[in-house]
Amino acid sequence: MFPEKPFISGGNRPSMVSFLNTTKNVYTASVDYGFELGTLDFRVSVYRNLIQKHVTPGSILVPSDDEACLRACCQLSDKYKVIGVIHSDDQAYFDLIQKYKSHLSSIASVSKRIKNKQVQENDSIPHEVIPCGIPMENFSIGSKSENIISWVGRIEEESKRVSDIPKIGFELKKVTDDWEMNIYGDGEPLSSLKEQTSFLKLENNMFFHGWSSFETLREKLSSTKVLLQTSNFEGMSISVMEALASGCMVVSSQVSGVEDLIEDSAADDIVYLYPVGDIAYAQKQLENALSNLNSNTPFQARKLAEKHYSIKVCLQSYIDLGLRSNVKNETYPISFKSKINTLISGFISKSRYLKHNLIQK
């Protein structure tokens, strides 16, 4: 169902910025279902008008991966420095940046693997690796007295490779029964995952908690020894950043983002990688992590997170990149077709809304 009251698209919700205590410099526009159901060009106009009204020309703009937001910034690239961000090792992100590249002042990739895929020999545009960062003060280190393993994310196979979770647990149980794994997340494969867990007789070791609030996850991570990540691909996993900030060790498939930590000697005995899909090696790495924990490990993990993922550190990296960037003379064109699409957006959104209601009835 669509809400009757105005709402803000996607993750940009007032409750989120209130929680992060960033409302002082947040500007919003009241929109209804027309924002979601209307045309791309209408959404672009909403973002563009907000920027022009509230942001001083010459400022650095870091748009989200919403194409409407990115295009709005690029339509103003003669007045602002626009940093395009590649959030994931996924072709759709590369295609989006390539589409608007000539209007960007610079590019930030959240991992080295992503940057290396995007950079071309003749590129002159500044390009840096900058993780998105997290507010460290929101996470704390609790007791790590028990062998608790956590998995956090969408229960989804294509990117998260969730079918590996019970397989890894089955192999670990052959070695030791002294562990507990908590899975936080939801998704279509959840029922089959539970069935597989039951079939492998892991009910006393593996527990499914569904989606949990941020407050609950923060509390659970504080007592978690190891975060397990089984993904096929990532950008820079938020779960990994939050786990390290909570003093957890990380056992992860070797994917974008987390693999960069291995270059830092401070990650030794904190971050353990295994080839994607290698169940036996994943089990061995979990065993190594659990056996190598000492009283200093959680605090070393926290320092590692602060060094690489503190939002203050990442913000400064964006500022430095912006200062090295130039305002572009070429802007993304606002065509006659775009103007027409903006004007008829209300009619299109109303039609889609009525169609949705008819289907529901």
Side-chain angles (χ1 to χ4, degrees), residues 77-108:
S77 60
D78 59 337
K79 298 179 179 66
Y80 302 88
K81 298 178 179 182
V82 184
I83 302 178
V85 183
I86 311 179
H87 294 270
S88 176
D89 184 17
D90 184 286
Q91 190 58 45
Y93 288 90
F94 294 116
D95 292 343
L96 193 62
I97 290 297
Q98 195 61 39
K99 180 177 179 179
Y100 294 96
K101 190 173 181 180
S102 61
H103 315 292
L104 300 175
S105 299
S106 51
I107 297 174

Side-chain angles (χ1 to χ4, degrees), residues 343-352:
L343 290 174
I344 65 173
S345 182
F347 172 77
I348 291 174
S349 64
K350 187 67 174 179
S351 300
R352 290 172 175 170

Side-chain angles (χ1 to χ4, degrees), residues 2-247:
F2 294 100
E4 295 179 0
K5 295 181 179 181
F7 63 99
I8 296 176
S9 175
N12 307 313
R13 302 189 182 280
S15 59
M16 182 180 71
V17 293
S18 296
F19 179 79
L20 295 175
N21 194 29
T22 56
T23 52
K24 180 180 178 181
N25 297 312
V26 172
Y27 306 102
T28 62
S30 295
V31 294
D32 57 18
Y33 62 83
F35 186 83
E36 299 285 0
L37 300 182
T39 63
L40 172 65
D41 288 297
F42 172 72
R43 295 195 296 278
V44 170
S45 70
V46 172
Y47 284 120
R48 188 177 65 244
N49 291 338
L50 269 175
I51 295 168
Q52 289 177 304
K53 183 176 181 180
H54 297 290
V55 183
T56 305
S59 298
I60 302 166
L61 303 180
V62 187
S64 72
D65 56 355
D66 176 359
E67 183 174 4
C69 184
L70 177 58
R71 183 182 295 184
C73 292
C74 288
Q75 288 179 345
L76 299 168
S77 60
D78 59 337
K79 298 179 179 66
Y80 302 88
K81 298 178 179 182
V82 184
I83 302 178
V85 183
I86 311 179
H87 294 270
S88 176
D89 184 17
D90 184 286
Q91 190 58 45
Y93 288 90
F94 294 116
D95 292 343
L96 193 62
I97 290 297
Q98 195 61 39
K99 180 177 179 179
Y100 294 96
K101 190 173 181 180
S102 61
H103 315 292
L104 300 175
S105 299
S106 51
I107 297 174
S109 290
V110 298
S111 78
K112 291 182 179 179
R113 182 188 297 202
I114 291 173
K115 178 184 176 181
N116 291 338
K117 281 189 176 182
Q118 174 66 32
V119 171
Q120 300 170 0
E121 288 186 9
N122 59 350
D123 274 350
S124 58
I125 182 171
H127 192 154
E128 297 293 338
V129 175
I130 309 175
C132 54
I134 58 171
M136 292 291 153
E137 62 274 12
N138 288 342
F139 302 90
S140 60
I141 300 173
S143 171
K144 309 286 187 182
S145 58
E146 299 179 22
N147 287 332
I148 297 177
I149 305 164
S150 291
W151 187 99
V152 181
R154 298 187 312 277
I155 304 296
E156 185 261 334
E157 184 64 22
E158 182 181 2
S159 64
K160 301 301 183 182
R161 202 180 174 95
V162 294
S163 60
D164 282 358
I165 302 172
K167 296 175 186 176
I168 294 170
F170 182 71
E171 294 301 317
L172 184 61
K173 193 166 184 177
K174 291 179 182 179
V175 179
T176 176
D177 197 38
D178 181 24
W179 57 275
E180 172 186 312
M181 186 184 298
N182 296 300
I183 295 95
Y184 301 96
D186 202 356
E188 190 174 339
L190 180 59
S191 58
S192 62
L193 208 59
K194 289 180 177 179
E195 289 175 5
Q196 190 178 10
T197 299
S198 177
F199 176 77
L200 296 174
K201 297 182 171 25
L202 295 170
E203 302 98 319
N204 294 328
N205 295 91
M206 295 179 59
F207 306 93
F208 296 86
H209 301 278
W211 285 118
S212 300
S213 68
F214 176 81
E215 292 79 6
T216 298
L217 281 175
R218 179 175 56 179
E219 178 186 348
K220 298 303 181 183
L221 283 175
S222 71
S223 59
T224 293
K225 276 189 180 178
V226 181
L227 177 85
L228 173 65
Q229 179 170 265
T230 55
S231 303
N232 275 320
F233 56 86
E234 289 283 344
M236 177 55 231
S237 169
I238 299 293
S239 296
V240 167
M241 291 190 276
E242 293 177 345
L244 290 171
S246 303

Side-chain angles (χ1 to χ4, degrees), residues 205-324:
N205 295 91
M206 295 179 59
F207 306 93
F208 296 86
H209 301 278
W211 285 118
S212 300
S213 68
F214 176 81
E215 292 79 6
T216 298
L217 281 175
R218 179 175 56 179
E219 178 186 348
K220 298 303 181 183
L221 283 175
S222 71
S223 59
T224 293
K225 276 189 180 178
V226 181
L227 177 85
L228 173 65
Q229 179 170 265
T230 55
S231 303
N232 275 320
F233 56 86
E234 289 283 344
M236 177 55 231
S237 169
I238 299 293
S239 296
V240 167
M241 291 190 276
E242 293 177 345
L244 290 171
S246 303
C248 306
M249 293 178 287
V250 173
V251 172
S252 174
S253 52
Q254 187 164 347
V255 289
S256 168
V258 65
E259 66 185 1
D260 295 345
L261 289 170
I262 300 303
E263 299 178 14
D264 188 339
S265 60
D268 294 349
D269 298 327
I270 295 174
V271 178
Y272 299 78
L273 301 184
Y274 67 90
V276 173
D278 191 331
I279 304 301
Y281 199 23
Q283 174 271 315
K284 187 63 178 176
Q285 292 291 59
L286 267 179
E287 188 182 350
N288 290 336
L290 291 172
S291 62
N292 286 338
L293 178 74
N294 61 57
S295 59
N296 291 325
T297 303
F299 303 100
Q300 292 169 342
R302 172 74 179 206
K303 286 182 179 179
L304 188 68
E306 290 173 345
K307 178 180 179 180
H308 292 279
Y309 306 128
S310 165
I311 199 165
K312 293 178 181 178
V313 170
C314 297
L315 177 59
Q316 187 58 53
S317 296
Y318 272 109
I319 293 172
D320 293 343
L321 177 58
L323 292 175
R324 294 193 293 108

